[in-house]
Amino acid sequence: GAHLRRMWDANIGPGCADSPGVSHLPRISPLLWVGNEIAPSVGSFDVVVSTVPPRSCRTGARQPELTTHAIMFADGQGSETAAGVAFAKRCILEGAECVAAAVAAGKSVLVHCAWGQNRSCAICCAFAVLHRSMSANEAIDYVRERNIAERSYAGQQPPGGAMHNRVFREIIRELERERDAEAEETAETAEEAAAREAAAGTAAPHPRAAHEDEGG
């Protein structure tokens, strides 16, 4: 709605205009790129996950037909409300699953937002944490590194740049904690099941031994 439009327009600036406006993320997946809103019109990708409408690199006009998966949500630059945080997390998770499905199918995938910094990078970081066993900080540092290495625009350096939204960084760290807690719970459940099986095996006499006892 109007609120999202204001958020998108607030992001229009140099980071929307550098071309091709993409960073390759081969350590996460050789099939994964992250970019700005003109990146879909510059490159060629099998799957395009859009958090804002793509724009033409020539005219600036919107090109929604370039999107294969639309997951629209706002970047509040760290000022998100509690409801905004919850919605952003759901969208980031949905985006990560889109990336996972594309990569599993061997398809090249671009995740983009307006500047290619927060929303799109958060989705790529979530994929890295949930599907590539990277730590949150490792994923965040890596997308920042690739952004600096492959792109050049005003506002790119800290306190701006990739993943400068503190709320999105915390979402990625929360996903890591949830991932690790789930893995620990699964391991404990497996250990408990193994212990029960071992105890059952100790308590029940071997059939042959029982037969020998009966025969004297």
Side-chain angles (χ1 to χ4, degrees), residues 28 93 96-97 121-140 169 171-180:
I28 299 175
L93 284 169
E97 293 311 308
C121 283
I123 288 172
C124 293
C125 285
F127 170 74
V129 167
L130 298 176
H131 296 275
R132 290 295 185 267
S133 301
M134 292 178 73
S135 72
N137 287 343
E138 182 183 8
I140 291 166
R169 293 197 304 271
I171 288 173
I172 301 306
R173 292 174 180 134
E174 183 178 13
L175 293 178
E176 180 187 16
R177 291 192 295 270
E178 292 171 352
R179 177 201 69 188
D180 292 347

Side-chain angles (χ1 to χ4, degrees), residues 50-214:
S50 300
T51 68
V52 300
R55 293 183 185 271
S56 167
C57 62
R58 295 185 299 276
T59 67
R62 293 189 176 188
Q63 292 187 296
E65 69 277 7
L66 296 178
T67 297
T68 62
H69 297 75
I71 307 174
M72 305 295 180
F73 66 108
D75 174 8
Q77 306 288 314
S79 64
E80 285 81 359
T81 62
V85 173
F87 183 67
K89 183 178 179 180
R90 290 197 298 272
C91 291
I92 289 167
L93 284 169
E94 181 182 351
E97 293 311 308
C98 287
V99 172
V103 169
K107 296 179 179 180
S108 61
V109 55
L110 167 70
V111 185
H112 83 91
C113 54
W115 284 47
Q117 296 189 137
N118 286 323
R119 286 165 285 193
S120 54
C121 283
I123 288 172
C124 293
C125 285
F127 170 74
V129 167
L130 298 176
H131 296 275
R132 290 295 185 267
S133 301
M134 292 178 73
S135 72
N137 287 343
E138 182 183 8
I140 291 166
D141 289 346
Y142 179 60
V143 298
R144 285 173 166 170
E145 170 194 317
R146 299 316 304 156
N147 176 275
I148 295 294
E150 298 193 45
R151 296 180 59 192
S152 179
Y153 56 89
Q156 184 181 25
Q157 299 291 337
M163 291 299 289
H164 69 264
N165 184 326
R166 60 178 180 79
V167 169
F168 288 2
R169 293 197 304 271
E170 180 53 33
I171 288 173
I172 301 306
R173 292 174 180 134
E174 183 178 13
L175 293 178
E176 180 187 16
R177 291 192 295 270
E178 292 171 352
R179 177 201 69 188
D180 292 347
E182 182 178 350
E184 184 176 347
E185 182 178 349
T186 299
E188 289 176 353
T189 300
E191 288 176 3
E192 290 170 0
R196 285 195 299 271
E197 290 177 5
T202 301
H206 190 280
R208 182 174 179 180
H211 176 74
E212 290 173 350
D213 289 343
E214 292 171 359

Side-chain angles (χ1 to χ4, degrees), residues 4-25:
L4 283 178
R5 178 67 57 80
R6 287 194 298 272
M7 296 301 297
W8 292 336
D9 290 347
N11 283 332
I12 291 175
C16 299
D18 66 301
S19 180
V22 295
S23 303
H24 190 200
L25 304 175

